[in-house]
């Protein structure tokens, strides 16, 4: 049966950019430097040890007046070097801190990408947020894009005081991207369909209606299974790689952040707030899956 597991993993392969789109080094004072990012952009790079023994790169984009921090898990065909513009725009327009990271085997992170390594990776990043920045669960929003929904729901199903979870073009499970099945096999990977039911905080689901990589049905089912549903965003005409280019994307996210701020101040209230103006965004590197 081990061959079956390997076969599934091969079809649901990770695609780290080769060569990586950035590098990290240390300056004369021993400070970690992330290529392509100037000091005035207020970003702090980290090199974190995981329980698997890998060293993963993480970047903390600080907003001076942030109420919340977003822990962003990206898709399977991008690395941090391609995400600068998106993080800068999200930080500015949502007024949040952004912590993101490269999975083992991505960018300048060591090791090899695998399902369980992504879990160890996000755990190391979460621990960094707690110890280095004093971020509490109540002020943390987990954001998972595409395959990043796997580590996001791994953490989201375990942390019971989270502020919120955002699922962007998320998957029900690895095999379900490839085949329409009703049961979860033991050798499946990223079993989000099971984990979403253990998430106790508000969940926002964003998915394109014309996603030809991860069908819209994945997003709709994840929303249906969420205990604390927030109004979903089904982006009309949106694909798998371009949701950030639609005005309603940032408009709905800002509305969601405002609602979470209101919820944190008056705990019983979960009513929506009015929408805020939109912005233009170039989408990040297209995320892909191997369909054979």
């Amino acid at each position: 049966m081990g061959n079956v597991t390997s076969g599934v993993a091969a079809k649901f392969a990770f695609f780290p950019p080769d060569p990586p789109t950035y590098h990290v080094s240390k300056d004369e004072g021993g400070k970690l430097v992330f290529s392509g990012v100037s000091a005035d952009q207020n970003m702090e790079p980290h090199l974190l040890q995981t329980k698997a023994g890998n060293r993963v790169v993480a970047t903390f984009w600080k907003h001076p007046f942030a109420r919340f921090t977003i822990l962003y898990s990206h898709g399977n065909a991008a690395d941090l070097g391609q995400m600068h513009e998106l993080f800068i725009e999200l930080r500015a327009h949502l007024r949040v801190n952004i912590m993101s990271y490269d999975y083992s085997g991505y960018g300048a992170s060591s090791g090899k990408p695998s399902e369980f390594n992504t879990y160890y990776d996000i755990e190391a990043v979460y621990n960094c947020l707690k110890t280095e920045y004093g971020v509490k669960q109540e002020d943390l929003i987990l954001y998972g894009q595409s395959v990043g929904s796997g580590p996001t729901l791994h953490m989201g199903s375990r942390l019971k005081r989270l502020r919120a979870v955002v699922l962007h073009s998320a998957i029900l499970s690895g095999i379900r991207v490839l085949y329409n099945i009703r049961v979860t096999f033991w050798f499946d990977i990223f079993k989000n369909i099971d984990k979403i039911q253990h998430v106790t905080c508000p969940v926002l689901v964003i998915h394109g209606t014309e996603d030809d990589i991860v069908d819209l049905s994945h997003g709709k089912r994840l929303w249906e299974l969420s205990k604390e549903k927030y109004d979903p965003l089904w982006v009309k005409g949106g694909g798998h790689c371009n949701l950030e280019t639609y005005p309603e994307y940032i408009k709905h996210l800002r509305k969601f952040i405002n609602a979470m701020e209101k919820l944190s101040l008056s705990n019983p209230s979960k009513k929506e707030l009015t929408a805020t103006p939109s912005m233009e965004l170039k989408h990040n590197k297209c995320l892909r899956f191997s369909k054979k």
Side-chain angles (χ1 to χ4, degrees):
M1 297 298 286
N3 290 335
V4 175
T5 306
S6 298
V8 171
K11 287 189 174 183
F12 191 76
F14 294 91
F15 297 97
D18 187 17
T21 64
Y22 71 96
H23 66 272
V24 293
S25 58
K26 289 187 176 181
D27 61 19
E28 294 180 354
K31 184 179 179 180
L32 197 65
V33 177
F34 191 104
S35 65
V37 178
S38 59
D40 62 350
Q41 290 181 307
N42 207 11
M43 186 274 276
E44 299 174 0
H46 296 269
L47 198 56
L48 307 174
Q49 185 88 17
T50 75
K51 66 172 64 175
N54 297 324
R55 295 175 69 82
V56 297
V57 177
T59 55
F60 186 76
W61 300 80
K62 184 174 179 60
H63 189 288
F65 306 111
R67 175 70 176 83
F68 298 132
T69 295
I70 291 178
L71 200 175
Y72 193 110
S73 299
H74 62 66
N76 71 342
D79 67 19
L80 291 177
Q82 300 164 321
M83 309 291 288
H84 293 175
E85 181 180 347
L86 177 64
F87 295 154
I88 290 171
E89 295 292 344
L90 289 178
R91 178 179 64 177
H93 290 269
L94 301 180
R95 294 169 63 91
V96 296
N97 302 318
I98 306 281
M99 173 67 103
S100 192
Y101 63 101
D102 264 338
Y103 311 122
S104 296
Y106 276 68
S109 296
S110 68
K112 295 182 179 180
S114 72
E115 176 192 9
F116 284 98
N117 272 342
T118 66
Y119 298 158
Y120 301 145
D121 299 340
I122 196 172
E123 288 171 5
V125 177
Y126 172 66
N127 288 334
C128 175
L129 282 175
K130 287 194 303 179
T131 59
E132 296 292 324
Y133 298 100
V135 175
K136 300 177 181 179
Q137 286 189 43
E138 293 85 353
D139 298 325
L140 182 63
I141 297 172
L142 301 182
Y143 189 119
Q145 182 177 14
S146 190
V147 76
S149 59
T152 291
L153 286 176
H154 166 74
M155 290 298 292
S157 63
R158 296 180 174 209
L159 302 178
K160 299 305 179 182
R161 301 192 310 277
L162 283 172
R163 177 53 52 201
V165 166
V166 179
L167 300 175
H168 173 156
S169 303
I171 66 173
L172 284 167
S173 73
I175 288 183
R176 286 179 173 85
V177 175
L178 306 170
Y179 307 107
N180 184 16
I181 58 173
R182 294 183 177 274
V183 297
T184 300
F185 296 105
W186 67 267
F187 51 81
D188 202 350
I189 59 176
F190 296 121
K191 302 181 184 73
N192 293 340
I193 190 172
D194 299 327
K195 295 179 180 179
I196 187 65
Q197 301 173 66
H198 300 288
V199 175
T200 57
C201 63
V203 175
L204 165 62
V205 178
I206 303 172
H207 215 106
T209 62
E210 302 300 323
D211 191 328
D212 61 352
I213 302 298
V214 180
D215 190 75
L216 176 62
S217 60
H218 287 246
K220 288 195 169 183
R221 185 61 176 150
L222 287 168
W223 183 78
E224 290 168 357
L225 292 172
S226 300
K227 289 182 176 180
E228 293 287 338
K229 301 175 178 63
Y230 185 83
D231 282 353
L233 175 61
W234 312 128
V235 181
K236 187 175 181 180
H240 192 68
C241 311
N242 63 351
L243 300 188
E244 300 92 338
T245 65
Y246 287 79
E248 56 265 42
Y249 167 78
I250 197 64
K251 181 178 179 180
H252 202 80
L253 265 181
R254 183 62 183 269
K255 180 181 175 183
F256 176 68
I257 294 295
N258 287 343
M260 294 305 101
E261 288 177 346
K262 183 177 180 181
L263 180 62
S264 70
L265 295 174
S266 55
N267 206 28
S269 176
K270 296 181 182 179
K271 294 180 181 179
E272 298 176 7
L273 301 184
T274 56
T276 53
S278 182
M279 69 171 185
E280 293 184 1
L281 257 184
K282 295 179 181 178
H283 66 84
N284 56 305
K285 181 71 174 179
C286 187
L287 313 175
R288 55 180 174 154
F289 291 84
S290 177
K291 285 195 174 185
K292 297 182 180 180

